[in-house]
Amino acid sequence: MKYEMVGLCETGLVRNVNQDAVFWGKTECGAVCVVADGMGGHSHGEVASNLIKQTVLQCWETFTEENCRRGFCDMFDYLKCELEKANQALYQEYGKKRMCGSTLVLLFCFQNQYGILYAGDSRIYLKKGFSFIRLTTDEVWENQKNIPKEERQNTSHPNYGKLVNAFGSEADLHMRMMTDVLRGGELFLLCSDGLYKMCTDKQIKAAMRSVRSGGDGMKAALMRLKEETEEAGATDNFSIIMLKTDRE
């Protein structure tokens, strides 16, 4: 499988500090990318997001040093375990005193499989052929099944939009995960909420559908989303990574 990747991590037009962190890397046999959005309403959100970035980077360096000799399941489980260890270390240092957390969404591709890990409300979209779907569900108050429907639909509720899960929020990290097969021709987009709160799904879909091939087409789509986010005000940090697969 062949992988092409582009990305950006922007402070936006209002914030003074960028609490987002991103990483992407690839080899001939695999690729990994992660978007982490530090919780700006709490202390040191950038500490949590950068810890996620460094943890994934170190895992990826281990994989490349070993020439990716492990199998998909082994490497995916290693990523999950290392993030759980990092979460415990962060919580022990900050959690009992003050919140220090971050959302995360991670995509790992290896040979003909991919896996996703996420916690919080950063997102991943997939375009395959004519289909366009969001693979993640925002882990926010109104998406909890035990909340009555009439309350969940009340956008003025004080809990509306609040995260119910994040890296660093508890001693044990609870990540949602999924795996599936790669067939080639997939286009993934990972982003923090600073993008999708400024751009609609329709705009994101249009940008992804504009990618006819990798390289310049992906860069143009990335810049299109950046411009649309800034035109809408870019009130938060925003990060985007796009990953395209093709069979050799």
Side-chain angles (χ1 to χ4, degrees), residues 115-149:
I116 291 169
L117 295 170
Y118 73 97
D121 64 353
S122 289
R123 292 180 177 178
I124 180 165
Y125 297 85
L126 169 63
K127 183 187 84 70
K128 174 67 176 175
F130 293 104
S131 69
F132 171 82
I133 57 173
R134 174 153 57 96
L135 298 175
T136 55
T137 300
D138 299 341
E139 293 190 296
V140 291
W141 174 83
E142 62 270 20
N143 285 341
Q144 296 179 95
K145 293 181 179 180
N146 62 329
I147 307 295
K149 184 178 180 180

Side-chain angles (χ1 to χ4, degrees), residues 88-234:
Q88 289 180 341
L90 184 74
Y91 187 80
Q92 288 175 1
E93 183 173 354
Y94 289 96
K96 296 178 181 179
K97 306 171 189 174
R98 56 193 185 278
M99 180 69 72
C100 178
S102 173
T103 72
L104 78 90
V105 60
L106 176 145
L107 171 67
F108 174 61
C109 301
F110 184 69
Q111 294 178 344
N112 66 337
Q113 292 179 273
Y114 74 86
I116 291 169
L117 295 170
Y118 73 97
D121 64 353
S122 289
R123 292 180 177 178
I124 180 165
Y125 297 85
L126 169 63
K127 183 187 84 70
K128 174 67 176 175
F130 293 104
S131 69
F132 171 82
I133 57 173
R134 174 153 57 96
L135 298 175
T136 55
T137 300
D138 299 341
E139 293 190 296
V140 291
W141 174 83
E142 62 270 20
N143 285 341
Q144 296 179 95
K145 293 181 179 180
N146 62 329
I147 307 295
K149 184 178 180 180
E150 59 273 16
E151 286 190 48
R152 285 190 275 120
Q153 293 176 337
N154 180 9
T155 58
S156 62
H157 193 285
N159 289 329
Y160 193 90
K162 287 187 177 180
L163 288 173
V164 295
N165 186 31
F167 180 91
S169 63
E170 296 182 5
D172 294 323
L173 176 60
H174 304 284
M175 291 183 287
R176 297 197 190 189
M177 60 183 290
M178 63 188 78
T179 60
D180 207 340
V181 175
L182 288 171
R183 294 178 174 84
E186 291 89 358
L187 178 64
F188 296 94
L189 185 146
L190 292 76
C191 66
S192 58
D193 67 347
L195 172 72
Y196 67 76
K197 287 182 177 177
M198 296 289 103
C199 296
T200 64
D201 276 7
K202 183 177 179 180
Q203 289 173 298
I204 295 171
K205 180 180 181 180
M208 294 180 74
R209 283 192 167 175
S210 72
V211 178
R212 298 287 182 264
S213 60
D216 292 341
M218 292 175 68
K219 291 177 184 176
L222 194 72
M223 289 302 103
R224 174 177 175 173
L225 288 170
K226 179 179 184 293
E227 290 170 5
E228 290 176 340
T229 301
E230 291 175 344
E231 286 172 2

Side-chain angles (χ1 to χ4, degrees), residues 49-94:
S49 61
N50 276 289
L51 178 58
I52 292 168
K53 174 182 177 179
Q54 291 302 316
T55 300
V56 176
L57 170 61
Q58 289 168 10
C59 289
W60 187 245
E61 288 176 343
T62 298
F63 296 159
T64 54
E65 287 169 6
E66 296 174 350
N67 200 27
C68 293
R69 286 192 296 268
R70 306 186 191 191
F72 170 83
C73 291
D74 188 17
M75 288 191 284
F76 190 53
D77 188 58
Y78 181 68
L79 279 163
K80 179 175 179 291
C81 290
E82 290 302 302
L83 284 167
E84 289 170 345
K85 290 178 185 177
N87 176 85
Q88 289 180 341
L90 184 74
Y91 187 80
Q92 288 175 1
E93 183 173 354
Y94 289 96

Side-chain angles (χ1 to χ4, degrees), residues 6-12 17-24 34-38 49-50 53 190 192 222-223 226 230 236-241:
V6 296
L8 56 77
C9 184
E10 299 286 331
T11 303
V17 176
N18 191 349
Q19 293 189 318
D20 282 11
V22 301
F23 170 74
W24 63 90
V34 63
V35 168
D37 177 4
S49 61
N50 276 289
K53 174 182 177 179
L190 292 76
S192 58
L222 194 72
M223 289 302 103
K226 179 179 184 293
E230 291 175 344
D236 196 0
N237 312 144
F238 64 97
S239 298
I240 316 167
I241 300 176

